[in-house]
């Protein structure tokens, strides 16, 4: 019994101690809460005071701002009124100056009009006097010129006759010069033809042509066929025995006949000589003409062929 009674006492003491601890904690919590509320009241009071001071400062600042805006508006109004007055004064002065300039211009225009009128009258008077003097002067000049023409008419006719005589003499001399040049040209051509004929009759030339006739014939026919003419022909023999100008020129160029032995103009002249008496279009040469053309080229380039140039 004593054992259980001691256990109960211990238990009661533990419970009592726990309750005392709880009471102590509760009192501490209440104390802290009371202190917190007190701090909050102090902070709230200080914040309220600060807010009231800020509101007061803001109100004062707004009032000062409104006053500054009012002062500025008043100043701007004064400036605007001054500008308005200034514009009125400038406009008035400008208008007065324009009216004054207009009046002066009207006066100047009137004076200038009178001056121009007087100058125009003076100019017309001088012009009339000038025309009268010119008319008289022209009449005198015409009279003098007519008299001069009468004096010069006989001499002029003699001069014209002399000039006509000189003109006829010049035409005669020109005709004689042209005739002489034509004769010289024909004489040179005759001489050249005689030389070509001598070459034709030369046994050595004939032997050379005979020896190389086959090769020359092949060469001639090759360039006859080389023509790029657009004409359609069914005469093959005629095609192989007619050499056109452009093919003759091509042959001479390919074998350096020009510019080595003769000039291109020489080759053209020789072809025209060979076809001069032929009534064929386009002009062509046969094989005999071709051989004669070679002789004429050799005659022109005799010095080159003989190694003298």
């Amino acid at each position: 019994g004593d054992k259980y009674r001691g256990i109960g006492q211990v238990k009661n003491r533990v419970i009592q101690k726990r309750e005392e601890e709880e009471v102590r904690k509760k009192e501490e919590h209440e104390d802290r809460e009371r202190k917190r509320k007190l701090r909050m009241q102090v902070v709230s009071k200080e914040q309220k005071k600060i807010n009231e001071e800020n509101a007061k400062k803001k109100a004062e600042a707004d009032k000062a701002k409104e006053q500054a805006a009012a002062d500025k508006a008043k100043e701007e109004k004064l400036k605007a009124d001054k500008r308005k007055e200034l514009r009125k004064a400038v406009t008035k002065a400008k208008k007065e100056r324009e009216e004054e300039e207009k009046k002066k211009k009207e006066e100047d225009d009137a004076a200038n009009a009178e001056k121009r009128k007087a100058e125009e009258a003076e100019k017309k008077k001088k012009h009339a006097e000038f025309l009268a003097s010119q008319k008289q002067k022209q009449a005198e000049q015409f009279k003098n010129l007519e008299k001069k023409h009468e004096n010069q008419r006989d001499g002029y006719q003699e001069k014209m006759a002399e000039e006509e005589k000189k003109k006829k003499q010049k035409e005669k001399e020109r005709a004689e010069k042209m005739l002489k040049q034509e004769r010289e040209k024909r004489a040179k051509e005759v001489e050249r033809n005689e030389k070509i004929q001598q070459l034709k009759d030369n046994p050595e030339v004939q032997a050379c042509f005979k020896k190389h006739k086959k090769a020359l014939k092949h060469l001639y026919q090759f360039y006859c066929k080389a023509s790029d003419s657009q004409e359609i022909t069914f005469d093959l023999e005629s095609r192989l025995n007619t050499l056109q100008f452009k093919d003759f020129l091509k042959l001479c160029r390919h074998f350096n006949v020009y510019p080595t032995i003769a000039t291109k103009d020489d080759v053209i002249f020789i072809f025209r000589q060979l076809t001069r008496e032929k009534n064929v279009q386009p002009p062509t040469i046969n094989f005999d003409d071709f051989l004669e053309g070679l002789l004429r080229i050799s005659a022109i380039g005799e010095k080159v062929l003989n190694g003298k140039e």
Side-chain angles (χ1 to χ4, degrees), residues 120-155:
E120 194 67 28
E122 183 66 21
K123 188 176 179 181
K124 286 182 179 179
K125 181 180 178 182
K126 287 182 178 180
H127 184 65
E129 292 174 353
F130 173 77
L131 289 177
S133 65
Q134 285 295 109
K135 187 175 180 181
Q136 184 179 357
K137 188 176 179 181
Q138 287 177 356
E140 291 175 357
Q141 287 178 347
F142 181 76
K143 187 176 180 181
N144 294 332
L145 186 62
E146 189 176 19
K147 186 177 181 181
K148 185 178 180 180
H149 284 170
E150 288 177 357
N151 295 333
Q152 292 180 348
R153 191 171 296 151
D154 295 337

Side-chain angles (χ1 to χ4, degrees), residues 234-251:
F234 296 98
D235 189 352
L236 183 59
E237 184 178 355
S238 173
R239 177 72 178 275
L240 294 176
N241 286 284
T242 52
L243 184 64
Q244 295 185 15
F245 167 70
K246 57 185 176 181
D247 300 314
F248 180 69
L249 205 61
K250 190 186 297 182
L251 182 151

